[in-house]
Amino acid sequence: MNHDYLLQLLHQEVIPAIGCTEPICVALCAARAKEILGTEPDAITVQLSKNIYKNAMAVGIPNTDMTGLPIAIALGVTIGRSELQLEVLRDTTPAAVEYAKAYMARVPATIEIVEDAPDILYVHVEVKNADNKAEATIMGEHTHFVETNAPQQSSSDTNHSTSNNDNELTLKTVYDFAQEVNVKDVEFLLDGAKMNMAAAEKSFMGNYGHGLGRLLHTVSNQHLNNAQPTNISNIFGDTLFTKILCYTCGACDARMSGAMVQVMSNSGSGNQGISCSIPVYLYALEHNFDEEKTLRALTLSNLTVIYMKQSLGRLSALCGCVVAATGSAAGLTLLMGGQYDEVTFAIKNMIANISGMICDGAKPGCALKVTSGVATAVLSATMAMQHSFAEATEGIVEEDIDRTIHNLTRIGHDGMNQTDDLIIDIMTHKKA
């Protein structure tokens, strides 16, 4: 396996993002269309695949105290800069939000779901001003622009755009790379973990989402204030496990509620980046591991997620927290002293446990799923170190770890399409 290819994958898939990546993707496309037009449009039409729409319905937009696509589109048109990619709304200020609100009222965007979209991740924006028109299209990946009139790849083609026959990933190649890579080349992963920690710390200072991270943080630090134990603190306590939960879900609380925080994403998802980095980083910090050991564990965690997402696809009815937490389980196992066999045991435990978690859109409640995922990762890694793991006779687990991984991603990519349709139907037909 070409190490340069794997390093390129990491740099390509682990990038900074501000805000939930689905509405940000739409804002990015709107910004590019406006740039092509050369002036503010007086008409906007946005066409979306159902999965983009699902993940943009209820999530907070950075620095706005608002949710959903209309304000994301308006900000993309008015202040978005496409060269910033997933940080396209970095320049959002209170004044910019007020202008975008006025623009949104004056030029409301027409938003359409494309039932037969050419890819599960598809955004097309058409803007007009007088007799002038411009278009932009994103497909396959959150920042991948395609020519509007170019032949379009099928979903299966774009989902595998980072892989080819000469560089087919396996867990063993991922594990070997993590052990052999020059850690100077992956230092950005440690910077990303610290970035995600900072997002969590911001959540502890405010009222974001369901406040799960802040609640657990308060519980784990009660001893600092000489507070009497509560029913909650008696359950969780001041432990590394509680700290892993509170920091991971805290970062999710902040970004899902529209805090202006930068996080390091993985495979197009900030929550995936958070879930595969913070648990590993905190475990390494708690046990005083040196930078090299920490970076190797972060490399294994992040690259395991990338490997799994290559066959699952960018978006699906399977919650990405399951995949990201599986990466964490691998990284934690490495830090606990495990080798390749123990890493495979941990991943089998993950797949045997929370493989059926559905994605019902991006929202503050994602913090609950993130917490479930990383809690299971800690459990799975701990079991793996005792050589306790799900056997090939159990469910979708097989002896071969790569076949086990692909059993999970096949279910998410191929088997849950009807589930996805039903989820979206429920979400769009709720009674007031």
Side-chain angles (χ1 to χ4, degrees):
M1 173 61 67
N2 187 325
H3 275 213
D4 289 340
Y5 169 72
L6 293 174
L7 194 59
Q8 176 191 343
L9 263 185
L10 278 170
H11 281 281
Q12 175 183 314
E13 300 289 4
V14 183
I15 61 174
I18 295 175
C20 176
T21 51
E22 277 69 59
I24 292 302
C25 170
V26 179
L28 174 63
C29 198
R32 174 66 67 86
K34 182 267 183 99
E35 290 164 359
I36 295 170
L37 185 66
T39 188
E40 255 182 28
D42 52 27
I44 308 169
T45 301
V46 178
Q47 295 181 319
L48 308 169
S49 59
K50 60 190 178 184
N51 288 78
I52 289 285
Y53 184 79
K54 177 180 75 171
N55 277 343
M57 287 176 62
V59 71
I61 306 304
N63 226 22
T64 68
D65 292 324
M66 299 175 70
T67 61
L69 284 167
I71 187 65
I73 294 166
L75 284 167
V77 165
T78 55
I79 57 100
R81 291 188 287 146
S82 64
E83 71 268 17
L84 296 179
Q85 296 193 309
L86 291 182
E87 297 180 279
V88 63
L89 299 187
R90 183 195 295 171
D91 299 331
T92 302
T93 62
V97 173
E98 290 307 309
Y99 183 85
K101 287 179 181 177
Y103 177 79
M104 184 171 65
R106 189 172 72 252
V107 186
T110 300
I111 301 171
E112 304 169 350
I113 299 177
V114 181
E115 293 294 339
D116 57 347
D119 193 273
I120 200 167
L121 195 164
Y122 177 80
V123 181
H124 177 76
V125 177
E126 180 182 279
V127 292
K128 296 179 181 178
N129 185 286
D131 294 330
N132 297 317
K133 182 177 79 169
E135 299 172 84
T137 304
I138 288 175
M139 191 169 72
E141 299 176 10
H142 289 78
T143 59
H144 181 228
F145 286 94
V146 299
E147 292 183 26
T148 300
N149 297 316
Q152 294 172 334
Q153 293 174 285
S154 69
S155 178
S156 58
D157 290 336
T158 54
N159 282 330
H160 293 272
S161 60
T162 55
S163 181
N164 58 56
N165 291 334
D166 295 329
N167 288 309
E168 193 69 36
L169 290 184
T170 66
L171 186 67
K172 188 64 165 64
T173 60
V174 167
Y175 175 84
D176 288 345
F177 175 80
Q179 297 285 54
E180 298 164 5
V181 65
N182 183 339
V183 292
K184 293 291 185 184
D185 292 334
V186 291
E187 286 179 337
F188 73 101
L189 297 178
L190 187 56
D191 294 335
K194 293 176 180 178
M195 183 188 301
N196 294 341
M197 289 286 290
E201 287 164 358
K202 183 178 180 68
S203 78
F204 304 150
M205 306 302 292
N207 185 23
Y208 297 101
H210 300 301
L212 182 57
R214 186 176 64 172
L215 170 65
L216 293 174
H217 185 257
T218 302
V219 167
S220 68
N221 287 282
Q222 279 188 334
H223 69 285
L224 298 178
N225 302 317
N226 296 315
Q228 292 297 315
T230 65
N231 289 337
I232 297 175
S233 60
N234 286 335
I235 294 171
F236 291 97
D238 181 19
T239 66
L240 174 59
F241 181 65
T242 302
K243 187 176 290 187
I244 287 172
L245 296 185
C246 79
Y247 271 84
T248 310
C249 67
C252 183
D253 281 333
R255 68 181 300 271
M256 290 288 97
S257 301
M260 181 56 83
V261 292
Q262 185 185 48
V263 302
M264 190 66 89
S265 67
N266 184 302
S267 303
S269 167
N271 285 348
Q272 288 170 186
I274 289 166
S275 298
C276 74
S277 64
I278 286 180
V280 174
Y281 175 77
L282 278 173
Y283 190 94
L285 198 64
E286 181 77 11
H287 292 86
N288 297 312
F289 285 116
D290 62 22
E291 186 172 294
E292 178 179 350
K293 185 73 171 179
T294 304
L295 281 168
R296 294 200 185 283
L298 286 169
T299 299
L300 177 60
S301 181
N302 275 278
L303 200 52
T304 297
V305 177
I306 293 168
Y307 166 39
M308 295 178 72
K309 291 293 289 186
Q310 281 191 340
S311 54
L312 177 62
R314 293 283 165 169
L315 303 171
S316 74
L318 180 68
C319 178
C321 299
V322 174
V323 175
T326 301
S328 251
L332 288 168
T333 303
L334 191 66
L335 290 177
M336 290 177 182
Q339 299 184 32
Y340 178 71
D341 284 346
E342 288 77 19
V343 169
T344 68
F345 299 160
I347 292 174
K348 287 179 179 180
N349 288 337
M350 289 294 297
I351 292 174
N353 191 339
I354 57 171
S355 55
M357 188 183 291
I358 63 167
C359 171
D360 55 347
K363 59 199 175 302
C366 287
L368 296 166
K369 298 188 179 188
V370 163
T371 306
S372 296
V374 297
T376 305
V378 174
L379 174 65
S380 296
T382 305
M383 289 177 60
M385 292 306 297
Q386 303 301 314
H387 282 217
S388 175
F389 59 94
E391 302 281 358
T393 54
E394 302 179 53
I396 64 172
V397 174
E398 296 196 36
E399 189 70 33
D400 182 88
I401 187 60
D402 295 295
R403 286 181 60 85
T404 301
I405 288 170
H406 287 291
N407 288 343
L408 172 67
T409 59
R410 277 180 60 207
I411 290 169
H413 185 270
D414 301 327
M416 296 180 75
N417 292 328
Q418 188 173 353
T419 301
D420 218 14
D421 290 339
L422 182 56
I423 290 169
I424 295 168
D425 181 69
I426 291 170
M427 290 175 65
T428 54
H429 292 89
K430 292 181 183 179
K431 293 184 180 179

